Amino acid sequence: MGLTSRALECATVLAALACVGFTVWVWPRLARRGPRAVLGRLGAIAVTQAVVLTACAVMVNAHFDFYGTWGELVGHVPTAPGHVTQSGGAGGVYGVRGGLVEPAGPQGLDRVTGLPSGPSARAGQVESVRIVGRRSGAVVPAFVYLPPQYFQRQYHRQRFPVIVAISGYPGGIVNLGQHLQVPQTAARLERGGRLQPTVIVMVRPTIAPPRDTECVDVPGGPKAETFFTKDLPAAMRSAYRVGHDPSAWGALGYSSGGSCALQLAMRNPTVYTAAAALSADYKIKDDLTTGSLFGSGPQARRRQQSHDLMWRLRHLPVPRVAVLVASSRHGERDYGPTMRFLGAVKPPMTSARIILGSGSHHFTTWRREIGPAIEWMGRQLTFPQDTAPAAKQRHTAQAASPRSRPVLGR
């Protein structure tokens, strides 16, 4: 019974109801004087409260995905094996073992509604996998959305663009599917000809839960930036037909995931050439959930400055990337920083914005923004990128400019 499974939720709720009912039934018999009756009352209260709190904790964890497995709950975070054999193939990863992308259990995917259904070549497919980080040593849960074209014969020579969708902290990948509805939105946009066929890999921002690693390489600690900029692209390219050129890669996220997306693109423009951030922060600071992200000593301040995006725009060469940021005039505390960030952007960097009149730091707001954000992202990424040398030569001129790339289906 998985930690985030519906069965465990139901079992703990039923156990809580049973304990409450039993306590109500037995209470008159314990309403007597004497140590045995007092101990009985205390025991009934303690057991009932413990079971009720357990049921609440299980439901909250299933909703926010704090811990994905029993191992994570007890502090065991899996690490990558010393030697990893890459895998490949035209389809998905099911049945592939020992590679950089490994098939996994549902990881909450069974609780996500509205996913593509039917033949893969007509509806697409969402896979539940684990991404193995050869350099960072992390093993991170992920969902991978594959569009219908990925399975169609006429596209068997093509490499597809990739959007890395990053959840907020402490939420997990289930939130990207169930609450933000990333794969459902992408499928709808593709059917309407508003998004080119795109692979989407959905991950959480932390690689060492419950610590919030904020996509930072922590001195002497988790190498989150290494995972997102080296391990994740290498793993996806080893198991799926996805683009090898940075022009085919973009990052998207909400809350701390949006902060990560901006950090990844602006700090690593040779890996990600586009980023879309919903309700993001523009600098990273230590707090109770992160611990010390930048170490100590004279280099700590310099490391922290390098993760301050406003500081980077003022003091470092501006990267050639495209960014989209989203906020609300009323209800979002990042509106002022967002406008200052947009005002600081200068060529060769380009920017776009989604500014709502009102909206809070919540999925009801982000669902209004995710469709336009994904559609914008699709216009920044190149497609197709060909797998065969002959086809590659035929499409060299088209691959030179992402702006000249047509959106299929229009």
Side-chain angles (χ1 to χ4, degrees):
M1 191 180 296
L3 183 58
T4 60
S5 68
R6 184 77 67 182
L8 181 63
E9 285 186 72
C10 293
T12 54
V13 169
L14 290 174
L17 293 174
C19 283
V20 171
F22 177 77
T23 300
V24 171
W25 177 77
V26 79
W27 197 259
R29 293 165 176 77
L30 299 174
R32 300 171 183 167
R33 295 179 182 274
R36 292 183 62 182
V38 172
L39 290 174
R41 291 195 295 271
L42 291 175
I45 292 172
V47 171
T48 300
Q49 293 213 3
V51 175
V52 169
L53 289 174
T54 298
C56 291
V58 168
M59 288 189 292
V60 169
N61 182 70
H63 181 79
F64 290 104
D65 201 22
F66 292 104
Y67 301 95
T69 66
W70 292 104
E72 289 182 1
L73 180 64
V74 299
H76 172 68
V77 179
T79 57
H83 175 72
V84 179
T85 303
Q86 294 189 357
S87 60
V93 300
Y94 284 106
V96 177
R97 297 288 178 181
L100 299 179
V101 180
E102 298 179 344
Q107 302 183 131
L109 188 62
D110 53 339
R111 294 187 283 112
V112 178
T113 58
L115 293 176
S117 60
S120 298
R122 189 172 61 198
Q125 180 175 302
V126 180
E127 297 185 340
S128 177
V129 301
R130 291 179 300 178
I131 307 293
V132 179
R134 182 160 46 186
R135 296 173 178 84
S136 65
V139 179
V140 176
F143 298 150
V144 178
Y145 166 74
L146 302 171
Q149 292 84 352
Y150 189 90
F151 304 94
Q152 295 171 6
R153 183 171 180 80
Q154 61 267 39
Y155 292 92
H156 75 282
R157 297 168 69 95
Q158 309 301 329
R159 297 189 184 276
F160 291 77
V162 182
I163 297 175
V164 177
I166 309 170
S167 71
Y169 178 86
I173 54 177
V174 174
N175 289 347
L176 291 164
Q178 181 66 11
H179 301 298
L180 198 59
Q181 300 183 346
V182 169
Q184 301 93 320
T185 302
R188 184 179 70 251
L189 292 173
E190 286 166 357
R191 287 195 302 269
R194 296 162 59 190
L195 176 68
Q196 60 190 347
T198 303
V199 172
I200 302 178
V201 53
M202 291 159 269
V203 290
R204 62 193 183 192
T206 177
I207 67 168
R211 184 179 185 181
D212 182 9
T213 50
E214 290 278 358
C215 296
V216 172
D217 277 356
V218 181
K223 303 299 182 186
E225 187 172 27
T226 295
F227 174 81
F228 279 98
T229 58
K230 293 183 172 62
D231 292 339
L232 177 59
M236 290 297 294
R237 289 165 184 149
S238 75
Y240 298 98
R241 297 194 324 275
V242 296
H244 286 200
D245 191 85
S247 64
W249 284 75
L252 174 151
Y254 66 90
S255 191
S256 58
S259 305
C260 280
L262 291 176
Q263 295 277 341
L264 292 172
M266 291 182 64
R267 289 173 54 85
N268 304 274
T270 59
V271 180
Y272 297 96
T273 55
L278 316 181
S279 303
D281 291 322
Y282 300 94
K283 61 181 178 181
I284 294 176
K285 299 181 292 185
D286 291 345
D287 59 31
L288 292 176
T289 64
T290 65
S292 176
L293 292 173
F294 307 105
S296 58
Q299 297 299 318
R301 176 175 171 79
R302 182 173 298 179
R303 294 190 193 102
Q304 187 167 10
Q305 275 185 332
S306 73
H307 286 275
D308 183 333
L309 300 185
M310 293 294 291
W311 184 90
R312 295 185 69 88
L313 287 173
R314 289 193 298 264
H315 296 94
L316 298 179
V318 177
R320 187 179 295 276
V321 296
V323 299
L324 177 146
V325 292
S327 186
S328 304
R329 291 187 182 88
H330 302 286
E332 278 281 20
R333 63 182 182 182
D334 74 326
Y335 174 70
T338 295
M339 300 310 293
R340 288 193 290 272
F341 173 79
L342 289 169
V345 171
K346 53 191 174 183
M349 186 174 170
T350 61
S351 66
R353 69 190 71 183
I354 301 172
I355 303 297
L356 302 179
S358 62
S360 59
H361 199 78
H362 195 265
F363 287 106
T364 54
T365 299
W366 299 325
R367 278 197 297 269
R368 297 163 62 190
E369 300 165 341
I370 189 61
I374 292 178
E375 188 175 353
W376 173 88
M377 180 71 74
R379 294 196 295 268
Q380 315 308 311
L381 307 181
T382 58
F383 177 81
Q385 293 187 354
D386 299 279
T387 61
K392 183 176 181 180
Q393 294 175 3
R394 188 165 60 250
H395 290 279
T396 297
Q398 293 180 337
S401 172
R403 299 296 190 274
S404 67
R405 192 60 71 186
V407 177
L408 298 185
R410 285 188 174 177

